[in-house]
Amino acid sequence: MTDTVDKTPAPTVPPEQIKAIPVRHYGRWVAGAAVIAILVLIGIAFSNAKINYGVIPDYLTDGTILSGVWHTLYISVLAMVLGLVLGVILAVMRMSSNPVTSTVAWFYVWFFRGTPVLVQLLLWYNISLVFPILNLGFYKDEMNQVMTPFLAALLGLGLNEAAYMSEIVRAGIQSVDEGQTEASHALGMTQGKTLRRVVLPQAMRVIVPPTGNEFINMLKTSSLAYAVQFNELIKRATDISSTSLAVVEMFFVASIWYLILTTVFSIAQYYIERRYARGSSRNLPPTPLQRLRKNLRLFGSFRRPEVAR
Amino acid sequence: MSSLGKGIAPSTTGHPMVKAEGVHKSFGLAHILKGIDLEVNPREVFCLIGPSGSGKSTFLRCINHLEKISAGRLHVDGELVGYRQKGDKLYELKESEVAAQRRNIGMVFQRFNLFPHMTALENVMEAPVQVRRESKAVARERAERLLDRVGLGDRKGHYPAQLSGGQQQRVAIARALAMEPKLMLFDEPTSALDPELVGEVLDVMRDLAEDGMTMIVVTHEMGFAREVGDSLVFMDDGVVVEAGHPRDVLTNPQHDRTKSFLSKVL
């Protein structure tokens, strides 16, 4: 047609590749060497310390430690679930137009976020000072009997977590464009249905990453339940060290287990985030596993690059 | 023309589809609508034009109660919007009753507002399944037909982010039609589109008009208004300045304000 640009003959000789000498980054080499030197020094210091590293592998799979790992895991999960459910309720309360519910929610967050978890745990554990008898009408018992270490840990950790989760959920809900709510209402969907079907699924993209952080935090914060005699990992580790005298070694054992737990859940978090990123970008980036497989395939084809020509 | 608006129920009762009587709307101290009176008849394509800030979008949003009116009366298909009248007292409708009224009114937004976490097909199926409790099979069958009809049969599985603006807006039209509304509201449906994509959306709307759908269109597309519109209203500063047949108003405006506006946009 009238297209003249395409008519110009394409250059037959490919342009010469630029071969320039790259800028030398001496500073990088110096910084790298300095960092490695510091790491080596730290390593030497630790290996010369009066720590009996030999016992660590033995205690890693010790029955008492494993039971501590299990307790840490399930109190973290249960407290997180409690925090999540209560957090969603508090967030909705906070955003409601009823001044009573929104004020109560504000006050809850103010109090539970503003006082140390340790104090809250101890308060629950000693709640019999305030309510010596628990009387629910259909159920009556001495509070001391009801408030076990488990329940004190669950309430202390879970109710504290709810305060943080409500702020995360609220931020997530508010991040969803108002046009989404309008479109949903215009289609005849009610408030509740709009929240469930349209707003929350989109809010999840904002809610999930900090919630993952909260959970990983919770795995470690649960060690404070040690103070209310709950048999979690740190409590179990100190139980052993009080007889074996391997105090620091047992903290190392516990830390290795915390690292394992947080690593596993970090990986899980990555995949959950991908799930809720649906529709937010044109194409999801491949997972590390997919990338590895692709690279392996590429590597295989590199061996005979000239065959194709 | 065939099935785009198959569900359009022709109004047999003889009353106008939309009737506004002295409609006012204020946001705090800002008085946006200052007494709007107009009627939209069934099967009519009713165009609203005017400078930005004139209140045309606000008026459109009052029709499906996205905004509450401050004074006056607004009827859709003979029913008071958002309220129930008993004697001389007005009662606010419950949330579920407002939702029920909105089911019969489709709306298309300037910025599409498709649900980004659902595919095109899921967007169109959502309201029939969730609101009308239709079975997925029935909803899917109609959604596929509607997407075919707006020319997106091959884009059913795409997420909104994978579609162009024009394609997104056509999905949004299909989504509104899936509820088989008797009235469609268009709030500047082509204003957020690249110029070369405007045509494909206007084609779908033209098709819909030929099918006999009652449409209220807030637009800056004077060509569309002239060609497809049955009536046209020029609004400025919260009042109707001039109304009539699009050809008359656009080619022979009576008011100075209309003349000066048209001289800038035509």
Side-chain angles (χ1 to χ4, degrees):
Chain A
M1 296 232 296
T2 52
D3 203 349
T4 52
V5 182
D6 280 354
K7 294 264 166 76
T8 53
T12 47
V13 193
E16 194 193 343
Q17 291 279 317
I18 291 179
K19 290 191 196 91
I21 291 136
V23 177
R24 306 284 185 207
H25 296 283
Y26 300 109
R28 288 183 192 172
W29 288 96
V30 175
V35 168
I36 289 173
I38 292 169
L39 286 178
V40 168
L41 285 176
I42 293 175
I44 291 171
F46 265 86
S47 63
N48 288 341
K50 285 185 192 149
I51 296 172
N52 184 5
Y53 291 104
V55 303
I56 292 178
D58 299 338
Y59 278 113
L60 265 183
T61 51
D62 181 274
T64 312
I65 291 292
L66 288 183
S67 121
V69 170
W70 166 241
H71 279 73
T72 286
L73 193 60
Y74 88 67
I75 197 68
S76 300
V77 170
L78 290 181
M80 199 65 203
V81 169
L82 179 62
L84 204 74
V85 172
L86 207 54
V88 173
I89 294 171
L90 283 167
V92 173
M93 278 172 71
R94 178 77 191 276
M95 287 184 295
S96 89
S97 42
N98 183 335
V100 177
T101 57
S102 70
T103 308
V104 166
W106 181 89
F107 189 80
Y108 182 100
V109 172
W110 173 78
F111 180 80
F112 281 89
R113 224 169 40 159
T115 53
V117 196
L118 186 57
V119 174
Q120 291 172 29
L121 281 161
L122 291 171
L123 199 67
W124 285 112
Y125 196 47
N126 297 300
I127 198 77
S128 62
L129 297 176
V130 189
F131 304 103
I133 307 279
L134 176 69
N135 189 348
L136 297 173
F138 59 91
Y139 178 86
K140 190 175 172 184
D141 202 348
E142 288 201 22
M143 188 60 93
N144 270 333
Q145 300 293 315
V146 181
M147 194 51 68
T148 57
F150 164 74
L151 195 56
L154 178 66
L155 290 175
L157 296 171
L159 297 191
N160 180 262
E161 186 56 38
Y164 288 92
M165 282 312 303
S166 87
E167 291 295 280
I168 291 172
V169 171
R170 193 165 65 97
I173 289 176
Q174 282 172 349
S175 75
V176 178
D177 185 58
E178 220 184 323
Q180 293 289 309
T181 314
E182 283 183 358
S184 172
H185 284 169
L187 286 167
M189 288 165 82
T190 56
Q191 205 71 258
K193 206 151 251 176
T194 301
L195 189 69
R196 257 199 326 282
R197 297 285 310 174
V198 177
V199 176
L200 276 182
Q202 294 181 61
M204 286 306 275
R205 215 158 50 78
V206 176
I207 292 172
V208 164
T211 304
N213 276 348
E214 287 294 312
F215 182 70
I216 282 165
N217 236 333
M218 176 66 84
L219 282 170
K220 293 167 298 157
T221 311
S222 67
S223 62
L224 289 174
Y226 159 68
V228 296
Q229 307 301 314
F230 185 68
N231 280 327
E232 47 69 52
L233 187 47
I234 290 290
K235 169 98 173 7
R236 292 316 232 168
T238 50
D239 283 353
I240 294 177
S241 60
S242 66
T243 55
S244 73
L245 301 179
V247 178
V248 179
E249 288 81 354
M250 291 319 296
F251 283 133
F252 274 34
V253 168
S255 298
I256 289 171
W257 270 111
Y258 281 117
L259 278 172
I260 293 172
L261 291 179
T262 52
T263 306
V264 168
F265 282 99
S266 301
I267 294 170
Q269 183 188 1
Y270 173 84
Y271 282 94
I272 296 173
E273 279 174 31
R274 259 179 78 86
R275 169 73 170 70
Y276 283 105
R278 268 181 326 168
S280 66
S281 60
R282 275 146 216 242
N283 286 301
L284 285 175
T287 65
L289 261 182
Q290 290 168 344
R291 216 174 304 151
L292 186 70
R293 259 187 241 123
K294 191 177 144 208
N295 285 345
L296 283 177
R297 237 177 298 139
L298 274 179
F299 186 71
S301 62
F302 264 138
R303 279 190 231 142
R304 33 191 164 72
E306 305 300 328
V307 177
R309 294 211 171 167
Chain B
M1 296 285 304
S2 59
S3 60
L4 235 191
K6 216 170 198 169
I8 302 167
S11 188
T12 49
T13 38
H15 52 64
M17 183 60 86
V18 176
K19 186 175 180 189
E21 298 169 306
V23 169
H24 286 256
K25 171 70 190 174
S26 304
F27 292 102
L29 290 176
H31 200 176
I32 306 296
L33 299 178
K34 303 170 179 168
I36 303 287
D37 294 278
L38 53 81
E39 282 186 13
V40 179
N41 291 314
R43 308 178 73 83
E44 191 175 26
V45 177
F46 191 96
C47 297
L48 276 169
I49 64 168
S52 53
S54 59
K56 49 196 194 317
S57 282
T58 304
F59 177 68
L60 199 73
R61 293 158 58 82
C62 288
I63 296 174
N64 67 353
H65 209 52
L66 282 181
E67 308 287 356
K68 282 182 187 170
I69 61 176
S70 318
R73 293 287 185 275
L74 191 53
H75 302 264
V76 170
D77 205 15
E79 239 181 275
L80 207 53
V81 174
Y83 301 94
R84 180 185 299 114
Q85 185 150 17
K86 266 189 194 161
D88 54 354
K89 276 209 180 106
L90 279 188
Y91 295 86
E92 265 186 26
L93 289 186
K94 282 188 292 187
E95 195 214 335
S96 56
E97 294 169 316
V98 173
Q101 279 188 338
R102 286 180 179 142
R103 282 174 211 175
N104 301 320
I105 307 170
M107 185 158 191
V108 176
F109 298 86
Q110 182 178 350
R111 294 184 52 243
F112 327 135
N113 294 346
L114 288 179
F115 305 135
H117 56 302
M118 300 179 193
T119 62
L121 189 71
E122 287 166 346
N123 262 283
V124 182
M125 286 169 60
E126 181 68 8
V129 171
Q130 292 298 323
V131 178
R132 286 213 307 217
R133 300 248 154 253
E134 255 172 31
S135 76
K136 285 208 169 164
V138 173
R140 173 186 298 270
E141 194 269 325
R142 187 191 311 101
E144 282 174 350
R145 187 158 43 80
L146 283 168
L147 284 174
D148 278 339
R149 200 69 184 89
V150 298
L152 293 172
D154 55 340
R155 294 281 191 280
K156 292 177 188 117
H158 285 55
Y159 286 98
Q162 298 165 319
L163 299 172
S164 75
Q167 291 169 334
Q168 287 189 55
Q169 194 61 299
R170 285 186 279 152
V171 174
I173 293 173
R175 177 176 71 172
L177 291 175
M179 289 297 281
E180 301 183 332
K182 50 192 174 193
L183 169 67
M184 285 283 285
L185 309 175
F186 291 85
D187 188 4
E188 301 194 24
T190 58
S191 295
L193 296 177
D194 290 341
E196 81 266 28
L197 302 178
V198 168
E200 63 188 52
V201 172
L202 292 183
D203 284 344
V204 170
M205 290 169 64
R206 191 173 290 122
D207 224 27
L208 199 55
E210 282 167 15
D211 261 10
M213 175 62 85
T214 313
M215 296 161 62
I216 304 181
V217 187
V218 172
T219 188
H220 294 293
E221 295 293 328
M222 299 305 155
F224 176 83
R226 190 197 327 256
E227 196 190 321
V228 184
D230 299 306
S231 336
L232 183 138
V233 156
F234 171 70
M235 273 178 73
D236 189 23
D237 199 22
V239 294
V240 172
V241 176
E242 198 162 344
H245 194 275
R247 221 160 341 191
D248 301 337
V249 179
L250 291 175
T251 51
N252 188 19
Q254 300 298 309
H255 284 259
D256 290 343
R257 192 63 200 89
T258 320
K259 284 177 194 163
S260 93
F261 175 75
L262 289 177
S263 72
K264 283 173 203 149
V265 297
L266 284 181

